[in-house]
Amino acid sequence: MDFAEELKLRVSRVEDGIDRLLPPASEPSTRLHAAMRYSMQAGGKRLRPVLVLAASELFDAPGAADPLPAAVAVECVHTYSLVHDDLPCMDDDSLRRGRPTAHKAFDEATALLAGDALLTLAFEILPRAYSGSPALAAALVAELAGAAGSRRLIAGQMEDLIAERSAASTPDGLRFIHENKTAAMIAAALAMGGICADAPDFLVEALRAAGGQLGLAFQIVDDILDATSDTATLGKTAGKDAKAGKATYVSVHGLDAARRIARERSESAVAILRRLPGDTAFLAALAEGLAKRTH
Ligand code: GRG
């Protein structure tokens, strides 16, 4: 398997889906739709939507639903979270995906509304795209809403902001933040791929579990890169965590231990993925690559 080529194919499928499912920038409100497209079409690794596609491909289910709309919905929610996270009232950043953040390219109110609209669009795409199978649509909505809601993504973000402001974070507190701010959406992406392919519940649960491990590894690597890489390579401001005195896996556990924990989490994810049915080569290679990523 040529992993790079296989990845490119899936990223390109996701980008076509984004272009097709987002309102055109020419449609009123043109400013709002332009801002949504600006953030969604700024590049990005497309990790979460590619995970949706790759998980779905494991199951050769006759009549399986097209996972592409689910993949685009996940990327909409992820991108909304980045747009809002970059706002001055949150992480206050001016660079994202190698470009000025949405509130710098437009203005704060427009960025706020574009984030709101992307979140809402995700939950418009799912029931529309899967209207032929209401049970599937409901399961996808429940999975994505659960991961993005006040018990997971937003809980992680809230606790992250609190931890930053109090400068006190325990290893357990940090793990809560990472499991919810980062791992929840990665786990949901894998689970949604399985759900689209009508995988049995125990395999959807295995996908969720692999996503939890992969998500932790991904965030620890993010902490390591923030401490060791540079802004040009990352396409976002490097060194922010140390500057803000923020607790990260690097500051709490040290660089070597952070690298070891990331490796352990990633190996655990790969072990779960390899036990799944079908051809797991692409998914396993993707999971392995994330632990070694440089941006
Ligand atoms: C505002 C509700 C709300 C949540 C914000 C996503 C997030 C939570 C904050 C962004 C900061 C951060 C380090 C989040 C952890 C998850 C993470 C590493 C996001 C970046 O994901 P990538 O690297 O980004 O996949 P691209 O741009 O490649 O899609």
Side-chain angles (χ1 to χ4, degrees):
M1 178 195 54
D2 180 344
F3 174 74
E5 193 51 38
E6 293 293 318
L7 179 62
K8 219 161 93 190
L9 281 173
R10 287 161 183 83
V11 168
S12 145
R13 203 171 150 210
V14 166
E15 310 222 306
D16 287 348
I18 289 172
D19 192 39
R20 198 158 44 78
L21 290 169
L22 253 70
S26 56
E27 187 180 322
S29 162
T30 53
R31 184 172 176 80
L32 178 61
H33 292 139
M36 290 162 73
R37 281 182 170 266
Y38 175 84
S39 292
M40 283 289 283
Q41 298 182 309
K45 291 180 285 299
R46 310 300 191 198
L47 166 65
R48 295 151 194 82
V50 168
L51 288 174
V52 176
L53 301 185
S56 163
E57 287 161 14
L58 294 179
F59 306 92
D60 194 13
D66 177 7
L68 188 58
V72 173
V74 171
E75 187 69 0
C76 285
V77 173
H78 168 60
T79 305
Y80 123 78
S81 78
L82 298 180
V83 169
H84 281 193
D85 183 65
D86 290 332
L87 286 170
C89 64
M90 297 226 187
D91 212 27
D92 191 12
D93 217 325
S94 52
L95 191 69
R96 169 71 66 186
R97 293 176 165 172
R99 292 161 67 164
T101 46
H103 66 276
K104 291 285 177 193
F106 293 82
D107 57 66
E108 263 182 70
T110 306
L112 185 74
L113 293 175
D116 291 340
L118 286 172
L119 174 60
T120 311
L121 179 64
F123 294 100
E124 184 182 340
I125 287 174
L126 291 175
R128 264 188 209 271
Y130 302 103
S131 61
S133 174
L136 170 61
L140 292 170
V141 166
E143 189 72 33
L144 187 55
S150 67
R151 295 187 171 95
R152 304 299 315 268
L153 172 66
I154 303 179
Q157 178 73 352
M158 184 78 255
E159 291 305 308
D160 196 25
L161 291 172
I162 292 170
E164 203 169 313
R165 283 162 196 171
S166 72
S169 200
T170 61
D172 281 352
L174 192 59
R175 190 179 162 110
F176 178 91
I177 292 168
H178 283 20
E179 276 176 352
N180 291 296
K181 191 179 79 167
T182 309
M185 286 291 293
I186 290 179
L190 280 168
M192 286 168 75
I195 293 169
C196 282
D198 201 21
D201 288 351
F202 78 99
L203 291 177
V204 173
E205 188 45 48
L207 284 163
R208 243 182 241 117
Q213 297 296 309
L214 189 60
L216 275 177
F218 184 80
Q219 180 58 54
I220 299 167
V221 171
D222 208 68
D223 288 356
I224 294 169
L225 291 176
D226 182 82
T228 58
S229 189
D230 56 82
T231 300
T233 308
L234 296 181
K236 61 181 182 179
T237 316
K240 277 198 81 173
D241 297 339
K243 201 166 162 204
K246 191 169 166 182
T248 67
Y249 266 67
V250 175
S251 69
V252 170
H253 298 274
L255 194 53
D256 287 345
R259 286 198 170 115
R260 176 180 50 75
I261 302 168
R263 204 168 43 246
E264 286 168 1
R265 298 294 121 225
S266 153
E267 283 168 3
S268 158
V270 172
I272 302 172
L273 292 173
R274 284 202 196 283
R275 287 199 295 272
L276 292 168
D279 183 354
T280 58
F282 176 75
L283 251 185
L286 181 59
E288 276 162 356
L290 287 181
K292 296 183 197 133
R293 73 193 168 99
T294 53
H295 65 283

